[in-house]
Amino acid sequence: MSELRSAVESLRSEELTDRPDALIEEDFLELQRVSELLELERLRRLAEIDRRRLFEREGHLSAASWLASRCNLGWGSARAQVRVAGALKEMPATRRALESGEVSMSAARVLTAARDTDPVAFARSEDELVEAARIHRLADLQRVTSFWREQVGRERDPDGDNSGPMARRRLHASVTFEGMVRLDGDLDPEGGETLLSALGAVMDADAKGPGQGQGDPRSVAQRRADALHEICRQWLDLHGRPSVAGERPHLVVTIGAEALTGRSSGPAECDHVGPVPAEVARRVGCDASVMRVVLAGASEPLDIGRRTPVVSAALRRGVVIRDRGCRFPGCDRPQTWCDAHHVIHWADGGPTALANLLLLCRRHHRLVHDRGGFGLSIEHGAAVFRRPDGTRLEDGAPP
């Protein structure tokens, strides 16, 4: 191990700026090859740690727990590494192909995922699947293994009740250290097709609005994330949703009164993801129900008020009749996609009245609330939108 570390230190000391292009490329490819061999050896030792149950000496209940703690890894990554390490012990043809450089570690992970379907069937087909890994690109290899899993499922369960895609469906959602929510899962073909169709419909409607398709700064992945957000928001807004602990499912944001009015810089907090910027609470609070909680010094509730909607159903109906949809210039999203935005926020003394309310879709609502973003004011009874540079946007909506 000391020789390995010395070799790495020698590489780190090399000056790269003067090396020829061909040599830099050659070095990179060789390092890629060696790094995969090192990864294979690392996983081989991880499998041995699991086999000897060395993790128990420190009180851990699994090798994944030990790995996550000792190496500061996420639980999902630790579990995946232990699974791959254990699988490779039982995949001799795959290991030989890795050692010879005929397949990549990424291809080997695809094969270990296929093996999870049926280890016995995989052992019979390993040579053919490794050959597919040698000759196919990674995306094509994933298709090959998908067809293989489908065939194995049909052979094992011709009726398709207890195995196959339906039995393998899963969805994990976890909060990261940064407050983001990470999704990971596999949907059965019907569920996956339903999701893709719903995402495609929202993204298509988003792109077809006047001026929406051109100059959209969002990546495709960001648009897909926004589409999933919109689908979930619309589902929560529907009547007749099943109650949770006696309440309809809803988004809860907690914020101090001074932070809400901008007199302090304290963050808001969501039930699941934790702290979020105060501006999120102000945006959500534009069209929400509000509950007042008075606390003692030690955060002990002294008084809890009734939850009341900021914008009543009758008042929202009046805003919908007037605006019909998002009022941001060039946007044609319907009222079901919109929040009732307070031009002057109620926390700043703005009235919850028709003259101070405007329908904005969630995306444009966010743009208006962003610091340094688009401006919105009521001038002579009409809504006036301004770009971040202060120039006025023409509003083609009805007065």
Side-chain angles (χ1 to χ4, degrees):
M1 285 298 177
S2 61
E3 293 179 359
L4 176 62
R5 186 175 294 275
S6 297
V8 172
E9 290 299 327
S10 176
L11 288 171
R12 293 181 60 193
S13 66
E14 292 182 355
E15 180 59 50
L16 301 182
T17 54
D18 298 329
R19 294 176 74 85
D21 295 349
L23 191 55
I24 287 289
E25 185 177 357
E26 181 182 334
D27 285 353
F28 175 83
L29 294 176
E30 182 62 22
L31 285 170
Q32 175 68 22
R33 169 82 185 93
V34 172
S35 67
E36 296 219 325
L37 288 175
L38 283 174
E39 176 68 2
L40 182 59
E41 285 304 310
R42 189 183 71 86
L43 291 175
R44 192 161 71 95
R45 282 159 175 76
L46 178 59
E48 187 65 12
I49 288 172
D50 192 23
R51 187 189 70 81
R52 298 187 187 187
R53 304 186 70 81
L54 300 182
F55 53 83
E56 292 180 344
R57 293 189 303 185
E58 298 183 22
H60 291 283
L61 302 180
S62 68
S65 171
W66 174 86
L67 181 62
S69 175
R70 289 295 298 271
C71 300
N72 197 25
L73 299 180
W75 268 96
S77 175
R79 281 193 294 262
Q81 290 187 33
V82 172
R83 179 181 62 80
V84 171
L88 285 174
K89 287 175 54 181
E90 311 300 329
M91 300 166 64
T94 305
R95 286 202 317 274
R96 289 194 298 269
L98 276 169
E99 291 165 356
S100 64
E102 294 176 287
V103 303
S104 67
M105 183 57 70
S106 294
R109 289 191 175 94
V110 173
L111 295 180
T112 58
R115 181 182 178 273
D116 290 342
T117 302
D118 189 327
V120 175
F122 182 88
R124 295 195 301 265
S125 305
E126 184 179 6
D127 290 336
E128 290 81 2
L129 291 173
V130 169
E131 182 61 26
R134 289 191 182 100
I135 63 178
H136 287 300
R137 297 178 304 170
L138 193 63
D140 294 331
L141 176 62
Q142 290 171 333
R143 288 177 58 84
V144 169
T145 56
S146 294
F147 282 115
W148 178 83
R149 282 194 293 260
E150 183 69 23
Q151 179 182 346
V152 169
R154 286 198 305 269
E155 292 174 353
R156 186 171 55 188
D157 183 22
D159 296 329
D161 295 331
N162 301 313
S163 65
M166 281 296 292
R168 298 196 305 273
R169 68 192 187 280
R170 63 188 179 87
L171 181 64
H172 301 291
S174 56
V175 180
T176 70
F177 294 114
E178 298 177 336
M180 301 288 282
V181 176
R182 180 176 296 278
L183 301 179
D184 176 59
D186 295 291
L187 301 182
D188 61 274
E190 182 182 354
E193 185 68 18
T194 301
L195 175 65
L196 293 176
S197 297
L199 290 175
V202 175
M203 293 172 69
D204 186 59
D206 194 16
K208 284 183 177 179
Q212 302 303 320
Q214 298 83 19
D216 192 335
R218 299 174 299 167
S219 66
V220 174
Q222 289 172 331
R223 291 176 55 219
R224 193 178 295 117
D226 290 347
L228 181 59
H229 179 197
E230 185 61 38
I231 290 168
C232 294
R233 276 289 299 264
Q234 291 192 26
W235 188 89
L236 288 175
D237 287 344
L238 292 175
H239 294 287
R241 296 299 96 208
S243 62
V244 178
E247 296 182 304
R248 287 177 57 195
H250 55 282
L251 175 68
V252 177
V253 184
T254 305
I255 185 171
E258 292 189 349
L260 182 63
T261 56
R263 295 197 300 270
S264 73
S265 58
E269 186 172 357
C270 291
D271 279 1
H272 296 98
V273 303
V276 296
E279 201 56 46
V280 172
R282 288 176 63 87
R283 185 177 70 246
V284 172
C286 265
D287 189 3
S289 294
V290 177
M291 179 183 290
R292 173 182 53 84
V293 180
V294 179
L295 301 177
S299 297
E300 179 182 354
L302 294 179
D303 179 54
I304 300 177
R306 296 181 60 187
R307 187 170 63 202
T308 56
V310 173
V311 181
S312 67
L315 182 55
R316 180 182 171 87
R317 174 51 51 189
V319 179
V320 168
I321 291 173
R322 184 195 65 194
D323 293 347
R324 298 202 287 263
C326 179
R327 285 289 301 276
F328 197 93
C331 184
D332 66 345
R333 293 182 178 90
Q335 57 92 5
T336 53
W337 291 39
C338 296
D339 299 323
H341 169 69
H342 283 71
V343 179
I344 302 175
H345 203 284
W346 55 264
D348 300 327
T352 301
L354 196 62
N356 191 45
L357 294 173
L358 212 68
L359 286 185
L360 290 176
C361 69
R362 273 99 202 205
R363 184 183 170 204
H364 286 128
H365 197 184
R366 184 179 295 111
L367 291 178
V368 168
H369 272 276
D370 284 347
R371 295 186 183 276
F374 286 85
L376 171 59
S377 60
I378 301 294
E379 300 178 12
H380 306 294
V384 175
F385 292 86
R386 297 188 184 278
R387 299 180 182 89
D389 62 6
T391 57
R392 181 168 175 166
L393 278 168
E394 293 302 323
D395 186 4

